[in-house]
Amino acid sequence: MIVEMRKGASSEEIDSVVEKAKSLGLDVQLNLGIEKAVVAILGSNTGQLPTELFAVLSGVENVTRIMKPYKLASRGFKEEDSLVSVDGIEIGGRRIVVMAGPCAVESEEQLVEAARVVKECGACILRGGAFKPRTSPFSFQGMGESGLKLLARTKEQLGLPVITEVIESQDVGLVSKYADILQVGSRNMQNFALLTNIGKSRCPVVLKRGFSCTVTEWLTAADYLLAGGNNQVILCERGIRTFEDSTRFSLDISSIPVIKNSSHLPIIVDPSHAAGHYSLVPAIAKAAVAAGADGLLIEVHPNPKEALVDGLQSLSPSDFARLMEELRAIAKSVGRYI
Ligand code: PEP
Ligand code: MN
């Protein structure tokens, strides 16, 4: 249930709404917005409660029963766009934030070279997986903590903040010691123990869409992060499974405007895992920016042919440089910049 307060409602009036909810055994989250305060009333039985319980309280303008299962990620709870800040880089503002780098950290030389290339081309965040969620247990699983250390060292050298995936709930503390942004992979979008632990941390997080999940399920998963008090949440569309097999996944381009309507959270797009082939990545990346994405997460490898993971979908340095130039023009045409 969402309780919107009148403009200029006093703190006593807001408190009385909070107290009422607590007296009914419900949780609350407060959004003291620029225009007005909004109180989200959280609990499994809010669907049965009469809205009048809150509507009669002084200072309350409107009470809405939320029909969607997600609350904190909804535009109803927070009207203004959320901005996530990483080392002074804002995600969700006018700038299109490009995160790029190899699928997996393989060695110091590979990572530093990738970081140098992507930085030179204008990417501002370095990606690289140290823990890799592989479909087969016999595939390369990532370098683990030594990969995290390489990411942190490369950040020190080149000044690019880093994003890396956390797979295990018990590794949230370890990974956030080294990473500036935690990545929740598609296969873990509904790993609620992992989400709950990340929700308790204050580390920015990219929540990738489960490849068989609806937008509603995705935003409901985001509520796990937000409910723990972590409001540094970025969504990432990375393609869903459909009957079409000419690409690795089908990028759901429509999810960008759908998310913009339904949620205040920033959304970025990963064209690499959607495409599955380097030749398709530029067109999808450009379409995503044109459709309103706040950023991109792109796989770039200094030598894709030698990559241990996802070489076929990784851009070479020259392909990435060309794409960044093209993206600048698209960004400008939609009133944004890179
Ligand atoms: C990745 O970004 O390296 C990755 C494994 O992506 P996804 O979780 O979207 O498959
Ligand atoms: Mn990959």
Side-chain angles (χ1 to χ4, degrees):
M1 200 180 277
I2 297 286
V3 180
E4 285 173 64
M5 304 300 295
R6 282 204 190 97
K7 255 191 214 169
S10 69
S11 54
E12 288 77 19
E13 287 172 325
I14 299 169
D15 284 348
S16 72
V17 172
V18 172
E19 287 314 313
K20 180 81 188 180
K22 289 192 172 157
S23 73
L24 295 164
L26 300 164
D27 283 334
V28 294
Q29 275 230 6
L30 200 53
N31 171 33
L32 299 172
I34 302 162
E35 283 282 303
K36 59 185 172 191
V38 180
V39 188
I41 314 279
L42 310 168
S44 53
N45 65 340
T46 53
Q48 276 79 56
L49 285 179
T51 51
E52 289 79 4
L53 282 173
F54 295 96
V56 294
L57 298 177
S58 158
V60 171
E61 181 168 82
N62 189 32
V63 183
T64 325
R65 207 188 288 289
I66 297 283
M67 300 312 281
K68 306 259 191 229
Y70 57 86
K71 297 180 176 69
L72 305 179
S74 73
R75 274 265 180 226
F77 176 55
K78 185 168 183 274
E79 210 177 338
E80 320 89 55
D81 288 341
S82 284
L83 294 176
V84 175
S85 181
V86 179
D87 278 4
I89 300 162
E90 275 193 343
I91 301 145
R94 274 194 60 237
R95 181 179 188 181
I96 306 284
V97 174
V98 178
M99 311 179 187
C103 180
V105 177
E106 297 168 11
S107 68
E108 179 152 22
E109 305 75 70
Q110 172 246 20
L111 188 64
V112 171
E113 180 56 13
R116 201 190 55 70
V117 162
V118 301
K119 183 178 177 181
E120 201 177 289
C121 295
C124 54
I125 295 175
L126 174 65
R127 68 148 287 154
F131 296 99
K132 294 304 304 171
R134 305 308 303 282
T135 303
S136 163
F138 308 117
S139 304
F140 174 59
Q141 303 286 314
M143 291 180 71
E145 190 171 358
S146 55
L148 295 177
K149 287 184 176 154
L150 285 182
L151 283 165
R153 206 170 324 140
T154 308
K155 177 190 177 180
E156 256 174 47
Q157 260 183 47
L158 289 164
L160 284 182
V162 298
I163 172 169
T164 196
E165 181 162 356
V166 56
I167 292 175
E168 299 272 1
S169 186
Q170 70 262 24
D171 287 344
V172 171
L174 172 79
V175 180
S176 43
K177 224 168 67 187
Y178 298 101
D180 300 287
I181 308 178
L182 300 173
Q183 177 175 321
V184 176
S186 187
R187 288 152 193 83
N188 268 323
M189 190 205 87
Q190 288 184 311
N191 179 340
F192 301 122
L194 176 65
L195 300 182
T196 302
N197 258 0
I198 298 175
K200 287 182 204 152
S201 95
R202 292 297 172 267
C203 192
V205 51
V206 161
L207 179 65
K208 285 192 144 194
R209 179 177 182 179
F211 54 69
S212 297
C213 291
T214 62
V215 167
T216 297
E217 288 164 333
W218 188 14
L219 290 174
T220 311
D223 262 5
Y224 269 89
L225 300 166
L226 297 163
N230 188 343
N231 54 18
Q232 299 286 97
V233 179
I234 303 156
L235 302 167
C236 178
E237 165 64 49
R238 48 79 72 210
I240 53 175
R241 189 145 272 169
T242 67
F243 52 80
E244 181 53 62
D245 62 1
S246 55
T247 49
R248 189 173 177 190
F249 293 92
S250 298
L251 187 85
D252 181 9
I253 198 94
S254 326
S255 76
I256 304 164
V258 169
I259 289 285
K260 289 285 172 201
N261 283 339
S262 321
S263 177
H264 52 89
L265 297 174
I267 176 170
I268 65 169
V269 166
D270 171 350
S272 308
H273 289 85
H277 197 279
Y278 67 92
S279 64
L280 304 173
V281 170
I284 300 178
K286 287 181 276 183
V289 170
D294 297 303
L296 294 165
L297 180 67
I298 305 178
E299 288 185 340
V300 178
H301 195 285
N303 185 2
K305 291 191 180 74
E306 301 290 318
L308 293 182
V309 191
D310 284 348
L312 189 59
Q313 68 196 33
S314 299
L315 296 186
S316 66
S318 59
D319 282 347
F320 183 62
R322 193 174 319 116
L323 171 59
M324 288 295 279
E325 280 316 306
E326 293 170 358
L327 284 172
R328 284 197 174 89
I330 304 275
K332 193 162 175 227
S333 75
V334 290
R336 304 183 80 167
Y337 69 96
I338 291 186

